[in-house]
Amino acid sequence: LARLVRDRLYYARRHLSRRTFMKYALRGYLLAGSSVLLTTLAQLTMKWGMIHLPHFGLSWFTSLMLLDNKAALCMVGSGIVAYLLSMFCWLKALHHLPLNRAYPLLSVSYALVYLATALLPWYQESLSYSQTLGVILITFGVWLIISRTPEN
C-alpha cells in the first residue's frame, strides 16, 4: 500500500507541473478541513439536540413526546446531514491526498469539539488540565505529520 501511494505521488509529480500538483494537494487539504469542520458541527448539533430531548423508550407515549420537541429533533437531524456532507468531503479529499497525510487531520475535530463544548455557554462543560494537554499533544502530532515533507 505504501508503495502504491509513493508510486502515485511520483507519477503525479512527474506528469504534473509543480504548480498544478500543489493546487491538487491544496484542494485535498481544503476538502479534508471541510470534513473536519462538518464533523465538529455534527457532534455539536447532535449533542445540543440530545440534551433537549427527553429520555425516551419504545412506548407510543414517549414517541408522541418526541414530536413536541421539534427543535431538538431538527438539530439531531441536521447533525446527521452534516455527517453525510462530511463523508462526501472526506471521500473527495482522499482522491487528492495520500491517506497518511489526510487521516491525521481527523484528529483535529476532537480538539475542536473539546474547545467548543468548553467555550460555548449552552454546553456547560469544563476544561481540565489533562484534557487540555491531550488536545495540545493531538494538535502537535497532527502538525508534525502534516509538516513532514514526503520522501522522493
Side-chain angles (χ1 to χ4, degrees):
L1 183 62
R3 184 176 180 179
L4 177 69
V5 170
R6 188 182 67 230
D7 291 345
R8 183 173 177 209
L9 281 174
Y10 176 78
Y11 177 81
R13 285 189 184 146
R14 198 86 161 121
H15 296 287
L16 297 174
S17 69
R18 178 162 174 80
R19 180 181 170 115
T20 305
F21 180 75
M22 293 305 288
K23 191 187 301 184
Y24 195 74
L26 179 63
R27 184 177 297 143
Y29 283 117
L30 288 174
L31 286 164
S34 299
S35 177
V36 166
L37 291 176
L38 285 166
T39 299
T40 302
L41 179 68
Q43 282 292 324
L44 294 173
T45 56
M46 288 197 304
K47 172 70 174 176
W48 187 91
M50 292 309 293
I51 287 172
H52 291 86
L53 282 176
H55 294 281
F56 57 92
L58 297 177
S59 71
W60 66 272
F61 180 71
T62 309
S63 58
L64 289 177
M65 285 177 47
L66 286 176
L67 294 177
D68 291 336
N69 299 303
K70 291 180 182 153
L73 287 174
C74 285
M75 290 299 274
V76 172
S78 65
I80 293 170
V81 169
Y83 265 128
L84 290 172
L85 292 173
S86 170
M87 183 58 68
F88 176 75
C89 289
W90 180 248
L91 291 174
K92 294 298 279 182
L94 290 179
H95 180 71
H96 296 282
L97 291 174
L99 186 60
N100 66 350
R101 291 294 184 135
Y103 192 69
L105 291 174
L106 291 178
S107 301
V108 174
S109 69
Y110 300 130
L112 292 175
V113 168
Y114 171 71
L115 291 173
T117 56
L119 297 175
L120 295 173
W122 50 88
Y123 291 107
Q124 299 176 351
E125 296 189 17
S126 60
L127 294 170
S128 75
Y129 290 115
S130 62
Q131 289 174 335
T132 304
L133 178 63
V135 165
I136 291 169
L137 289 174
I138 288 171
T139 306
F140 182 67
V142 170
W143 177 78
L144 281 177
I145 292 169
I146 297 301
S147 66
R148 185 180 61 89
T149 57
E151 294 88 18
N152 293 332

